[in-house]
Amino acid sequence: MAFAPSSTPRASLSPTEDVHLPDTARDLVKILVAGPFGVGKTTLIDSVSEIRPLHTEEPLSEASAQVDDLAGVRDKSTTTVAVDFGRISLPGGIVLYLFGTPGQERFRALWDDIAYGALGALVLVDSRRIDASFDVLGLVEESGLPYTVAFNAFPDAPRHHTEEQLRAALDLDAGTPMVTCDAREADSSVDALLALVQHLIDRHAPEDR
């Protein structure tokens, strides 16, 4: 499972204070960026958003440390408590509205409201703690949303797993796309979003007669 070469010039992804939609906007699409606590959802939205992202982050407290699993994310000091929001324009007049969802079970009540109207989800996974993704994948599947899985390439993530092993560990359907990205890098994050968009297009393409 290799990184795909970026198809979107980095210069076109620079954040701007201009919140107006580009004149070329044609298709407006709501996308969820989902995944467990600490997987990089906020980072990914920050890296690609062409507008100043909206965040609802709060510092982690001693009380939250008692209920949130901090294994593998000990350096994390904040958490999303409602939603992250960003926007990116893609070639062909497609504009993605990105909604980052909280990763903890205690925020599950927000899921239906945030997911309403979404066409698909990009599910970020940390290969160091694959089991942390099961609950989120369950929510996405229960909602009926098509999705693409993106393994966020943390520096100390194991590299020896094959694509078949990772797919089996997550019990993914054979038709579910699976890619690797670095949520810190705009080009890499855009490639993951493009994989999801292509998946949505393929699902809605008319069958050959």
Side-chain angles (χ1 to χ4, degrees):
M1 185 170 51
F3 286 89
S6 178
S7 54
T8 306
R10 179 64 185 95
S12 68
L13 301 175
S14 299
T16 174
E17 296 302 319
D18 184 5
V19 297
H20 300 289
L21 283 172
D23 293 336
T24 56
R26 185 184 50 167
D27 297 310
L28 311 181
V29 182
K30 180 179 181 180
I31 294 295
L32 299 188
V33 179
F37 172 63
V39 77
K41 302 181 294 292
T42 299
T43 300
L44 184 142
I45 291 174
D46 275 348
S47 75
V48 302
S49 184
E50 64 195 11
I51 61 173
R52 184 182 296 277
L54 168 68
H55 298 305
T56 54
E57 288 201 318
E58 294 293 339
L60 286 171
S61 64
E62 291 185 9
S64 66
Q66 302 301 314
V67 294
D68 293 331
D69 183 4
L70 300 181
V73 290
R74 289 290 176 182
D75 293 335
K76 188 169 174 59
S77 60
T78 62
T79 183
T80 299
V81 296
V83 67
D84 291 321
F85 175 77
R87 189 188 78 201
I88 179 173
S89 300
L90 299 177
I94 299 174
V95 178
L96 304 184
Y97 290 101
L98 306 175
F99 289 77
T101 63
Q104 298 98 309
E105 175 65 25
R106 70 178 190 274
F107 294 120
R108 181 168 183 157
L110 294 173
W111 176 265
D112 289 340
D113 289 336
I114 297 174
Y116 181 79
L119 292 189
L122 182 69
V123 180
L124 287 179
V125 174
D126 183 348
S127 61
R128 301 171 301 177
R129 48 192 187 99
I130 287 178
D131 57 346
S133 301
F134 294 159
D135 287 344
V136 173
L137 283 169
L139 281 173
V140 174
E141 291 178 350
E142 287 172 17
S143 70
L145 287 175
Y147 64 95
T148 290
V149 168
F151 282 88
N152 193 6
F154 288 94
D156 59 341
R159 310 292 180 186
H160 59 276
H161 298 309
T162 67
E163 180 173 348
E164 291 73 20
Q165 288 172 328
L166 292 172
R167 187 175 290 277
L170 291 172
D171 194 23
L172 294 182
D173 182 84
T176 301
M178 194 171 70
V179 299
T180 298
C181 75
D182 185 335
R184 301 167 299 178
E185 300 291 336
D187 291 344
S188 183
S189 297
V190 169
D191 284 337
L193 290 167
L194 286 173
L196 171 61
V197 170
Q198 187 60 56
H199 180 47
L200 298 178
I201 292 172
D202 291 344
R203 283 175 54 92
H204 289 89
E207 296 182 1
D208 293 336
R209 296 186 181 275

